[in-house]
Amino acid sequence: LSEDEIVTAALELSASTPLERVSMRALAARLGVPVMTIYNYVPNKAALHELVQNRILADVVVPTTDAGPWDERMRVLQREARAAVARHVGVRFASGIAESAEATRLADGVLDILASAGFEPDDIPLAFTALFTFMLGQVEVDAMTRAASADRPVDLQMPTGVDPPVLDEAFEYGFDLLLAGLAAKLDHSRSRSPRR
Amino acid sequence: LSEDEIVTAALELSASTPLERVSMRALAARLGVPVMTIYNYVPNKAALHELVQNRILADVVVPTTDAGPWDERMRVLQREARAAVARHVGVRFASGIAESAEATRLADGVLDILASAGFEPDDIPLAFTALFTFMLGQVEVDAMTRAASADRPVDLQMPTGVDPPVLDEAFEYGFDLLLAGLAAKLDHSRSRSPRR
DNA sequence: ACCTGAACACCGTTCAAGT
DNA sequence: ACCTGAACACCGTTCAAGT
């Protein structure tokens, strides 16, 4: 038994029940070990969730500076991050998002991209938070949609009938709104102080 | 004892522990009744959460059409909705957001505002989802921040150091990015088909 | 009808005892 | 050292029995 096996088993179980409700007992059963054996590898459930989060985000790469214009790099990064989370059906990040080293790595990636784009130092935390907020909401919306279509075929939680197939498009749409707004701020601040 | 008293007690308890972790037993203790008595008024915990959500959102008003330009009405609505949720420390909306009648009312309000602004029918679900996603993320960010500052004074979950005081500013900033982007789409579609 | 005690089927985690 | 059974202090909810 190893930490890796435990994380893998947790992810497997989270395909059929939300990770937050996978019990240590069920996890142990899956692994074929007594419950308390898990505690030799993982101090508690919160730590397990952090390990799972690290695993999920580990292979999201932050595009290097030479990979294109800042907004394209941002788009790629966010798209990949969202996909990595969405790939695991029962995973949600409601709490403790940045106790994980990988989440910090990605957040730093976003900050680097913003810095390389030339944003005013004052704007960087604001821009970061806007992108972070949207991303968090998107992960939540994705999870809600998956939960809804697991229960009943359709019947989404949005009143009009915003269909699930629209969701990828909606992500791009919303994200583009943010990026376009940020690009406009950048032009504006550049035209006011042309040097640097 | 009444449904109202139960909801009130749940909200009171959620000031010190996250609503999702307020137990029926603790709620009963607070009300000074045996646990099972609650079940005469509320079928289960999920229903209770829905009632709480309705209570919280009930006094958020959707600005009427004569209350100003569409983007200003949208700003007021979202600002008020966020404030209503943020007012209750331990409340989060991760799951089942639109089982509540009040949430549906507000969502319909957003859709009406978008329609009154003159968006193309195809854009409305996308614009709605973008705003909804951001709002959901904001509620989550607010809750995370409150949880973090309850445990330890500072030490936020964002890497750089996005301070809590910045949060209101960040909400306006991100929301403005979305609104500005939407306004631009509106201009664009108007200039292409000038009639209507 | 409305109420509620006891019980059921769960939780995460501590702790002491085993090798 | 590593392992783990038993126990503790909880859960939400069902069910049967009370008025």
Side-chain angles (χ1 to χ4, degrees):
Chain A
L1 189 61
S2 67
E3 196 182 273
D4 268 12
E5 285 181 83
I6 293 171
V7 171
T8 300
L11 275 174
E12 283 165 3
L13 289 177
S14 82
S16 56
T17 35
L19 178 62
E20 68 220 46
R21 274 192 288 160
V22 168
S23 72
M24 297 302 262
R25 282 165 160 94
L27 187 57
R30 170 95 190 184
L31 289 162
V33 301
V35 200
M36 289 317 298
T37 300
I38 295 175
Y39 285 84
N40 290 309
Y41 299 86
V42 170
N44 55 43
K45 218 190 175 186
L48 173 63
H49 283 74
E50 190 184 323
L51 290 173
V52 169
Q53 190 174 321
N54 272 328
R55 168 79 71 84
I56 288 174
L57 298 180
D59 42 43
V60 177
V61 312
V62 177
T64 50
T65 314
D66 58 7
W70 73 272
D71 57 324
E72 196 46 38
R73 280 178 281 147
M74 190 71 85
R75 219 181 300 269
V76 169
L77 174 51
Q78 301 264 11
R79 204 139 50 191
E80 249 198 88
R82 179 198 171 211
V85 177
R87 210 170 288 136
H88 301 278
V89 187
V91 177
R92 203 193 254 51
F93 281 139
S95 59
I97 205 148
E99 260 122 284
S100 115
E102 290 298 326
T104 303
R105 178 179 64 84
L106 296 184
D108 284 336
V110 170
L111 289 167
D112 285 347
I113 293 175
L114 289 173
S116 81
F119 281 98
E120 308 278 348
D122 282 359
D123 271 358
I124 289 186
L126 293 171
F128 172 81
T129 306
L131 294 169
F132 178 83
T133 300
F134 188 76
M135 190 55 159
L136 202 59
Q138 185 66 48
V139 168
E140 210 61 46
V141 167
D142 287 340
M144 282 165 53
T145 310
R146 273 179 272 120
S149 49
D151 287 354
R152 300 274 138 240
V154 199
D155 207 49
L156 198 50
Q157 54 280 78
M158 287 169 224
T160 15
V162 178
D163 302 317
V166 165
L167 264 189
D168 284 343
E169 200 189 339
F171 171 67
E172 300 288 335
Y173 187 95
F175 193 67
D176 279 350
L177 290 179
L178 291 176
L179 281 189
L182 288 175
K185 294 226 181 236
L186 204 53
D187 283 349
H188 190 251
S189 77
R190 251 203 214 107
S191 67
R192 275 200 312 199
S193 59
R195 52 190 63 234
R196 169 97 298 173
Chain B
L1 189 62
S2 68
E3 194 182 275
D4 269 12
E5 285 180 83
I6 293 171
V7 171
T8 301
L11 274 174
E12 283 164 4
L13 288 178
S14 82
S16 55
T17 35
L19 177 62
E20 68 219 47
R21 273 191 287 159
V22 169
S23 73
M24 298 303 262
R25 282 166 160 95
L27 186 57
R30 170 97 191 183
L31 290 162
V33 301
V35 200
M36 290 317 298
T37 301
I38 294 175
Y39 284 85
N40 290 309
Y41 299 85
V42 170
N44 54 44
K45 218 190 175 187
L48 172 63
H49 283 75
E50 189 183 324
L51 290 173
V52 169
Q53 190 175 323
N54 273 328
R55 168 80 69 85
I56 288 174
L57 297 180
D59 42 42
V60 176
V61 312
V62 177
T64 52
T65 313
D66 59 8
W70 74 272
D71 57 324
E72 196 46 38
R73 282 179 281 146
M74 190 70 86
R75 219 180 301 270
V76 169
L77 174 52
Q78 302 265 8
R79 202 140 49 192
E80 249 198 87
R82 180 198 170 210
V85 178
R87 210 171 288 135
H88 302 279
V89 188
V91 177
R92 203 194 252 51
F93 281 141
S95 58
I97 205 146
E99 261 120 285
S100 117
E102 291 298 326
T104 302
R105 179 179 64 82
L106 296 183
D108 284 337
V110 170
L111 288 167
D112 286 346
I113 293 175
L114 289 173
S116 81
F119 280 97
E120 308 278 350
D122 283 359
D123 270 359
I124 289 185
L126 292 171
F128 172 82
T129 306
L131 293 168
F132 178 83
T133 300
F134 188 75
M135 190 54 161
L136 201 59
Q138 186 66 48
V139 169
E140 208 61 45
V141 167
D142 288 341
M144 282 165 52
T145 310
R146 273 178 272 119
S149 48
D151 287 354
R152 300 272 138 242
V154 199
D155 208 47
L156 197 50
Q157 54 281 77
M158 287 170 225
T160 15
V162 179
D163 301 318
V166 165
L167 264 189
D168 284 343
E169 199 190 340
F171 171 67
E172 300 288 336
Y173 186 95
F175 193 66
D176 279 349
L177 290 180
L178 290 176
L179 281 189
L182 288 174
K185 293 223 181 241
L186 206 54
D187 284 348
H188 191 249
S189 77
R190 253 203 212 107
S191 67
R192 276 201 311 200
S193 58
R195 48 191 66 234
R196 173 96 296 174

